[in-house]
Amino acid sequence: MKKILIPLYGNDVAPRFDLATEVLIITTDDAGEGREEKIVVMPQASAEQLCHLVLTEGIGVVICGGIEEEYYQYLTWKRVGVFDSVVGPWERVFERFCKNELRTGSILYGPVP
């Protein structure tokens, strides 16, 4: 089982990790086939609360827009994979992640290649 957290802004990846008040947690099986999605609404925007959520939920990967260096370093120190500077609709981002095609800095707006 793998858990992925994506901060949301509507249907898109939130532009900033520390300003997101809604996050999507996707749990997948080892083959990446079966999945469970849940949305968590945060009481307020807080990078510290998001980091706490990542650790308490056992998240293995965070996919986000901009993230301050302090939180990036903290999460990677806790052995959480971080794909930052990612822009686009979360479904498309997740699809690329599942295909192992997502990279830090990916911009996924525009026509599907």
Side-chain angles (χ1 to χ4, degrees):
M1 300 292 276
K2 180 179 271 190
K3 286 188 174 183
I4 300 104
L5 181 137
I6 305 173
L8 297 177
Y9 182 74
N11 287 322
D12 294 336
V13 175
R16 288 191 39 186
F17 178 80
D18 60 337
L19 296 180
T21 56
E22 206 174 20
V23 296
L24 174 67
I25 298 174
I26 304 170
T27 305
T28 64
D29 60 19
D30 291 333
E33 308 241 340
R35 75 181 200 209
E36 175 187 321
E37 300 171 9
K38 88 175 171 182
I39 293 182
V40 176
V41 178
M42 307 294 288
Q44 64 193 34
S46 166
E48 289 86 4
Q49 287 180 357
L50 276 177
C51 286
H52 180 72
L53 179 67
V54 166
L55 298 180
T56 57
E57 287 284 330
I59 303 295
V61 174
V62 171
I63 302 171
C64 61
I67 184 171
E68 289 186 29
E69 184 69 18
E70 172 186 0
Y71 302 112
Y72 176 87
Q73 292 296 332
Y74 176 74
L75 291 172
T76 56
W77 176 65
K78 290 291 189 176
R79 301 194 191 288
V80 176
V82 178
F83 292 86
D84 63 330
S85 301
V86 174
V87 179
W90 76 262
E91 291 154 328
R92 201 168 189 191
V93 167
F94 181 69
E95 180 182 306
R96 286 279 180 97
F97 173 78
C98 289
K99 292 179 180 176
N100 204 24
E101 295 174 355
L102 187 67
R103 304 287 178 261
T104 289
S106 293
I107 299 173
L108 301 175
Y109 284 116
V112 178

